[in-house]
Amino acid sequence: MATWIIVGIYFLLMLAVGVASARKANSLTAFVVGGRSAGPWVSAFTYGATYFSAVIFIGYAGRSGWDFGLWALAIGLGNALFGAFLAWAVLAERTREVTRRLKIKTMPQFFETRFFSKGMKIYAAVIIFIFMTPYSASVYSGLSYLCEKVLNVDYHMAMLGIAVVAAIYLVVGGYVASLQADFIQGVVMLIGVAAMVFFILRSGSVGGIANGVAMVYDKMVDSGLTSFSWQTVIGVVSLVLLTSFGSWGMPQMIHKYYCIADKRSVKAGTVISTIFCAVIAVSAYFIGSLTRLFFNEVPKVNGAVNYDVMVPNILVGTLPEILLGVVLVLVLSASVSTLSGITLTSCSAIAIDLLKETFVKSMSKKTTLWVTRLLCLLFIATSYLIASLKSPILMLMAFSWGSVAGAFLAPFLLSLYWKGLNRAGAWAGMITGPLLCTVLAVSSGFKSANSAVYGVISIAASFLACFIGSKLSKKLSAEEQTAKEHFYNKEYTLQTAEPTNV
């Protein structure tokens, strides 16, 4: 009963945030980028809350902890150092400056503005919508496995409840609601992960941190994991690269930089985001590394090995009911914030870049706002249907990240720092990455074992394609040259209704 009460309070709070934010989300700019006024704490917490979802606690932590033992902690450290600190240091200010100055609201708009290509904008919008859908489905799956164990709620009913809550507060309040909700959810995540680690360490199967680490090490010796074989090296390194650097090209993560208020917020946000991500990621993978203390073999569901049920089973067996409710809300918070970020990014790209600015140019901003809201509902429903198939979480996550990051990471990062990148090079990178990731995934039968490796290969191939395409292409057209000059000229400001003060 206590668990249900805590979850009920969380749902009501999220709905209240959505309703309270409705008045502020009455324009397209406010709905999509929240007025570009987010301070350091809100920016950092919304970045971290979007970065981590049920996938890290249920999918990645359980599978990685079982496969790599204590070596899995390297993934969490990599997320903090490369996915948070280095990402903010390299991307945040440059992205904030150029997107504010040129009134860019979406990733497809970024590429159109830099390379003067409507075709690239349409392509980017389609890639986002297609490949972000399975990522969103992985979020549903992770949450539903936990709800099924903790609340004894049917998997599909749990997903439906999550979808309804996310849809209401996002569709009503937009990015304004998302910012406020993510800050609250970030606080819940920190409290919840601390409680989770504390009680798992106190359980009889672990017996404290020193004893637990020693026993895990012994299990690693027995399983041959201490030798750090090439298989382990490739597995850990690929996960560090994909989950840390892959985030640099994920539209919902880049979107957080668009909305930062000023340079001071960037500096403070870098520190806050790094600490937040270190606490969440290291704690999650540490819990995952303890799985061998609770299981002698990977549990089976309907006769098939299923890594995704390990952490939920551990939580149910170690936490008191009231804290089980807190931890459930922790995973709900992480997942709903990620889900809202993915949904808003995907649907704004379709509504603004594909419909309004390409096919229905006469569409008013008010109509575009309502179309965006309707697309959010459609996207959430589609993700729900995919998740209902119960595909492995790790496979869904890695395939989505590999494809999207393969399409955008190289051209986006190079656009910020290399004037030599041209339209042909960007096209080469944006096509090569997702195409290669899809081919590798299909050829392997969508097996999750190598999905992270495929993602890393796709990102590397995209960088190579960008360089080769730029070197082999012809001289820039007058329009592309002008767009390039405007992009890098900090004195040039696009004169539209949106404010430009920094």
Side-chain angles (χ1 to χ4, degrees):
M1 179 59 70
T3 302
W4 277 100
I5 293 174
I6 293 172
V7 173
I9 291 173
Y10 167 76
F11 280 165
L12 291 174
L13 180 60
M14 291 301 99
L15 294 177
V17 167
V19 173
S21 304
R23 294 181 180 178
K24 298 179 181 179
N26 56 3
S27 70
L28 187 60
T29 298
F31 189 86
V32 176
V33 293
R36 304 186 194 268
S37 59
W41 285 92
V42 171
S43 298
F45 273 50
T46 193
Y47 181 90
T50 303
Y51 194 169
F52 302 118
S53 67
V55 175
I56 187 175
F57 293 101
I58 310 303
Y60 271 102
R63 178 66 185 267
S64 300
W66 181 269
D67 287 346
F68 310 126
L70 293 171
W71 295 119
L73 292 174
I75 305 171
L77 291 172
N79 291 165
L81 294 175
F82 307 131
F85 176 77
L86 194 60
W88 275 68
V90 173
L91 302 177
E93 177 52 28
R94 281 184 179 255
T95 303
R96 186 199 72 85
E97 186 278 325
V98 74
T99 55
R100 178 180 292 251
R101 177 166 52 84
L102 299 178
K103 314 300 182 293
I104 295 169
K105 299 183 182 71
T106 66
M107 181 74 90
Q109 280 186 352
F110 177 93
F111 290 120
E112 181 194 29
T113 303
R114 170 64 177 83
F115 300 105
F116 196 77
S117 173
K118 287 189 178 297
M120 190 176 292
K121 177 177 69 174
I122 295 172
Y123 173 81
V126 172
I127 286 290
I128 289 171
F129 198 84
I130 291 176
F131 287 103
M132 295 301 280
T133 305
Y135 179 19
S136 181
S138 73
V139 175
Y140 279 111
S141 298
L143 271 172
S144 300
Y145 277 121
L146 187 58
C147 288
E148 199 171 41
K149 287 291 180 183
V150 176
L151 299 177
N152 294 316
V153 176
D154 177 73
Y155 178 89
H156 297 89
M157 290 303 296
M159 286 195 304
L160 184 60
I162 295 159
V164 169
V165 172
I168 291 176
Y169 99 73
L170 180 61
V171 171
V172 172
Y175 194 68
V176 178
S178 183
L179 281 173
Q180 295 176 0
D182 284 352
F183 181 78
I184 296 171
Q185 291 172 154
V187 174
V188 172
M189 287 171 68
L190 291 174
I191 296 172
V193 79
M196 189 189 307
V197 172
F198 179 76
F199 278 92
I200 290 177
L201 287 177
R202 288 189 60 191
S203 68
S205 297
V206 180
I209 186 168
N211 187 63
V213 170
M215 289 196 298
V216 170
Y217 182 80
D218 290 339
K219 293 282 187 178
M220 291 172 64
V221 171
D222 295 339
S223 304
L225 296 177
T226 53
S227 60
F228 212 55
S229 64
W230 278 110
Q231 182 178 0
T232 302
V233 171
I234 293 172
V236 172
V237 171
S238 63
L239 282 170
V240 170
L241 293 176
L242 181 64
T243 61
S244 299
F245 290 102
S247 66
W248 292 34
M250 301 303 289
Q252 79 277 13
M253 303 302 297
I254 299 300
H255 183 265
K256 307 307 176 187
Y257 303 137
Y258 299 178
C259 313
I260 302 175
D262 49 40
K263 290 182 179 180
R264 289 180 298 177
S265 295
V266 170
K267 292 180 180 179
T270 302
V271 176
I272 298 168
S273 176
T274 302
I275 296 172
F276 181 94
C277 290
V279 172
I280 299 298
V282 173
S283 297
Y285 284 105
F286 178 65
I287 290 170
S289 71
L290 301 176
T291 51
R292 288 181 181 269
L293 302 184
F294 293 87
F295 302 96
N296 293 320
E297 60 182 14
V298 180
K300 292 184 178 181
V301 177
N302 297 324
V305 169
N306 192 320
Y307 293 89
D308 299 334
V309 301
M310 289 196 292
V311 172
N313 283 333
I314 291 173
L315 296 178
V316 171
T318 57
L319 271 63
E321 183 182 3
I322 190 167
L323 284 172
L324 197 57
V326 173
V327 170
L328 181 58
V329 169
L330 146 71
V331 182
L332 280 168
S333 298
S335 299
V336 171
S337 59
T338 302
L339 182 62
S340 64
I342 296 169
T343 303
L344 187 58
T345 300
S346 302
C347 298
S348 60
I350 293 295
I352 297 173
D353 302 312
L354 199 59
L355 296 179
K356 174 177 169 52
E357 298 187 11
T358 304
F359 295 116
V360 192
K361 296 183 179 180
S362 61
M363 186 186 299
S364 67
K365 289 187 176 181
K366 184 176 181 180
T367 301
T368 306
L369 173 59
W370 280 105
V371 169
T372 304
R373 286 185 160 121
L374 290 175
L375 284 172
C376 285
L377 290 174
L378 175 63
F379 185 88
I380 290 173
T382 303
S383 301
Y384 165 81
L385 292 176
I386 293 175
S388 67
L389 300 176
K390 282 198 172 185
S391 300
I393 296 174
L394 193 61
M395 183 275 289
L396 287 173
M397 171 74 166
F399 175 63
S400 302
W401 273 54
S403 299
V404 177
F408 300 136
L409 173 53
F412 174 74
L413 178 61
L414 293 175
S415 292
L416 293 178
Y417 285 95
W418 184 41
K419 295 182 180 181
L421 180 67
N422 57 30
R423 185 190 300 165
W427 267 119
M430 292 175 71
I431 293 173
T432 299
L435 179 62
L436 180 58
C437 190
T438 302
V439 169
L440 290 172
V442 172
S443 63
S444 70
F446 288 96
K447 302 297 183 183
S448 61
N450 296 317
S451 53
V453 177
Y454 297 157
V456 173
I457 292 173
S458 301
I459 293 171
S462 179
F463 271 100
L464 184 61
C466 283
F467 282 111
I468 294 175
S470 295
K471 293 299 182 182
L472 296 180
S473 60
K474 298 179 180 180
K475 186 178 179 180
L476 301 185
S477 66
E479 293 85 358
E480 186 181 351
Q481 181 62 40
T482 300
K484 174 182 170 181
E485 292 172 355
H486 289 166
F487 187 88
Y488 291 109
N489 181 9
K490 293 186 178 181
E491 299 300 319
Y492 177 82
T493 301
L494 188 63
Q495 297 299 322
T496 65
E498 194 175 337
T500 63
N501 61 296
V502 296

